[in-house]
Amino acid sequence: MALRFYNTLTQKVEPFAPLHDNVVKMYTCGPTVYNYVHIGNLRTFTFQDILRRWLQARGYRMDHVMNITDIEDKIIRHSLAAKQTIYEYTKQYTQAFIEDTATLRLQPPERLVKATDCIDDMVSAIQKLEERGYTYNSDGSVYYRIAKFPEYGKLSHHDFSGSLAGARVDVDEYDKADARDFVLWKAKKEGEPSWDTPIGDGRPGWHIECSVMAMKYLGETLDIHTGGIDLAFPHHENEIAQSEAITGKPFARFWMHAEHLSIDAQKMSKSMGNFFTLRDLLGQGYAPETIRYLLASVPYRKKLNFTFEGLSAAATSIDRLRNYQLRLKTGHFADGVNAAIEERTKTAVNVFDEAMDDDLNTAEALAAAFEFVRDTNTAMDKGEFKAGNVASALAFLKRFDSVFDVLEPTPPKGGLSDQEIDALVGERNAAKKARDFARADKLRQDLAAQGVIIEDTKEGVRWKRQ
RNA sequence: GGCGCGGUAGCCAAGUGGUAAGGCAGAGGUCUGCAAAACCUCCAUCACCGGUUCAACUCCGGUCCGCGCCUCCA
């Protein structure tokens, strides 16, 4: 079956192909840069990375835009508290975001765009909405009038046909005509950053930036719009209301939402304080690949309950795959090709591909990989695996890792070079040959202390970094 | 209350109308100078109650439980 994704809009799994040529126009709601991102945020960004990588594996090119929200209430509050300009304040967390995502091996989007670089575009978008009668003014702010957009709720499947929804919303607090209405442009407040524009002195609301940045760079209809499940309402609903009111065209064809990561079965969030940042976990000694594996191994539409037990399981799983890769690369196999193994390799690749095609079923894709590993390890033990089988097995691992990207260890800072390790391993081999096991074990222990593991196998001596 | 997701072995988790993938952990073996690595064996009847069916974990109805959104939030 062909590539297919679950679409929040239709609540169905649908075949996917981009609208234009071979390029996927994708927009992702990026971070609000007032703090370090936590692993819940990174779960969603990891999903987007897996999505990107699989689309590319399937032969598509990406045109992916991610926004950086660098003007917003919390940013203003925090920067004032830190006695920094918002520019200084957001710059450090934007940089941290770029670093953290790189550490997790997330491919950068083709364009990473700051909201404050698109103020003019937002202003003209709001003017278009004004011209079309979708807005009203109140105390210098501009609001979107939801009553003008009958399709409101079509993404999150809320039914607003009855009385006003949202019993807990205090309408009076906002000077809004309808509890659902949201602000497009906020009137200037003393001491806060603002832009003097034709629609008033003020700053943009949150929702407008995504509509504007998406359409500015990707056109009026996106192939895919992604974000965390919590953004479906109201943020994405509002994006649809804004964008489609301006263009009259569908804003996004596929809406894909990542489920939340929880901790102790509770939602992890900045406001509740029960969160880990990537930096926290790295500080505790976990490798980036381990965290990446854990985040990627649970299919994106399934809640992921974060535990340290899960993290160590992830680390062990990666080891297993790396050991296998090492065996392929360093082992000595008899000449020839085992046709049956070639056939099974082909099958494994097909199962892997089919799992990924099926709405990114990473759990099943991993199962395909592990099943293949066990099968061919057994064949190696029996001597049935031939030198001519190595290439296609490595090719499968390469395909696997083009998506999961966990096989290459993050290089340690400092430490021994490969050459130095080879020399020490050579010394140990000599000692072993001379049956000087005390010296051989000493050398092995010394290397172990530096994070290098030596293994004596049927197929020869090999080493790896921990 | 409305909308949505889920309840499969100790933990994570796939899956399908025909008698339950995979990973981790655990037990026992094989191999081995030792240590690893690897392999083999063992370890669940799928929340509960009805119904449909030759056959349901998988379909239908109901019940219970957990979580999320409905307000800023990945």
Side-chain angles (χ1 to χ4, degrees), chain A residues 4-42:
Chain A
R4 53 210 186 274
F5 298 132
Y6 180 85
N7 188 350
T8 306
L9 199 57
T10 58
Q11 298 180 296
K12 287 192 187 102
V13 175
E14 302 175 331
F16 175 83
L19 204 51
H20 302 292
D21 307 322
N22 249 24
V23 180
V24 177
K25 306 271 186 186
M26 176 160 126
Y27 184 84
T28 288
C29 292
T32 300
V33 282
Y34 71 96
N35 203 336
Y36 296 113
V37 288
H38 58 60
I39 55 167
N41 300 317
L42 290 170

Side-chain angles (χ1 to χ4, degrees), chain A residues 1-17 253-256 300-301 354-361:
Chain A
M1 274 226 271
L3 179 62
R4 53 210 186 274
F5 298 132
Y6 180 85
N7 188 350
T8 306
L9 199 57
T10 58
Q11 298 180 296
K12 287 192 187 102
V13 175
E14 302 175 331
F16 175 83
R253 300 168 57 230
F254 280 75
W255 288 86
M256 297 176 71
Y300 77 95
R301 286 201 292 134
E354 170 55 25
M356 291 304 295
D357 275 351
D358 185 12
D359 198 27
L360 308 177
N361 191 340

Side-chain angles (χ1 to χ4, degrees), chain A residues 55 129 239 270 293 321:
Chain A
L55 285 165
L129 287 170
E239 285 186 47
K270 290 177 185 174
Y293 182 100
L321 296 170

Side-chain angles (χ1 to χ4, degrees), chain A residues 46 49-50 53 103-106 287-297 314-323 325 366 369-370 397-410 465:
Chain A
T46 301
D49 182 62
I50 299 289
R53 286 167 178 262
T103 300
L104 264 195
R105 307 179 181 187
L106 308 186
E289 314 89 84
T290 301
I291 299 159
R292 179 179 167 88
Y293 182 100
L294 179 64
L295 297 181
S297 63
T316 314
S317 300
I318 293 173
D319 278 344
R320 183 168 164 74
L321 296 170
R322 286 181 180 168
N323 286 333
Q325 185 181 45
L366 280 169
F370 281 108
L397 280 191
K398 191 174 174 192
R399 185 167 188 78
F400 165 86
D401 217 38
S402 73
V403 180
F404 285 90
D405 200 356
V406 294
L407 294 181
E408 196 59 38
T410 298
R465 294 179 193 278

Side-chain angles (χ1 to χ4, degrees), chain A residues 99-165:
Chain A
E99 285 169 15
D100 285 350
T101 49
T103 300
L104 264 195
R105 307 179 181 187
L106 308 186
Q107 291 183 345
E110 278 61 35
R111 295 190 187 84
L112 189 63
V113 190
K114 291 189 289 186
T116 52
D117 286 341
C118 297
I119 300 288
D120 290 347
D121 303 286
M122 293 188 225
V123 169
S124 52
I126 293 169
Q127 286 174 316
K128 281 185 193 133
L129 287 170
E130 280 180 334
E131 285 162 22
R132 289 165 171 70
Y134 284 92
T135 69
Y136 60 92
N137 288 59
S138 176
D139 283 340
S141 292
V142 184
Y143 292 90
Y144 188 101
R145 192 187 299 281
I146 290 294
K148 283 278 289 181
F149 191 75
E151 291 185 294
Y152 194 73
K154 68 180 176 182
L155 175 68
S156 53
H157 307 285
H158 279 71
D159 180 7
F160 292 102
S161 59
S163 57
L164 283 185

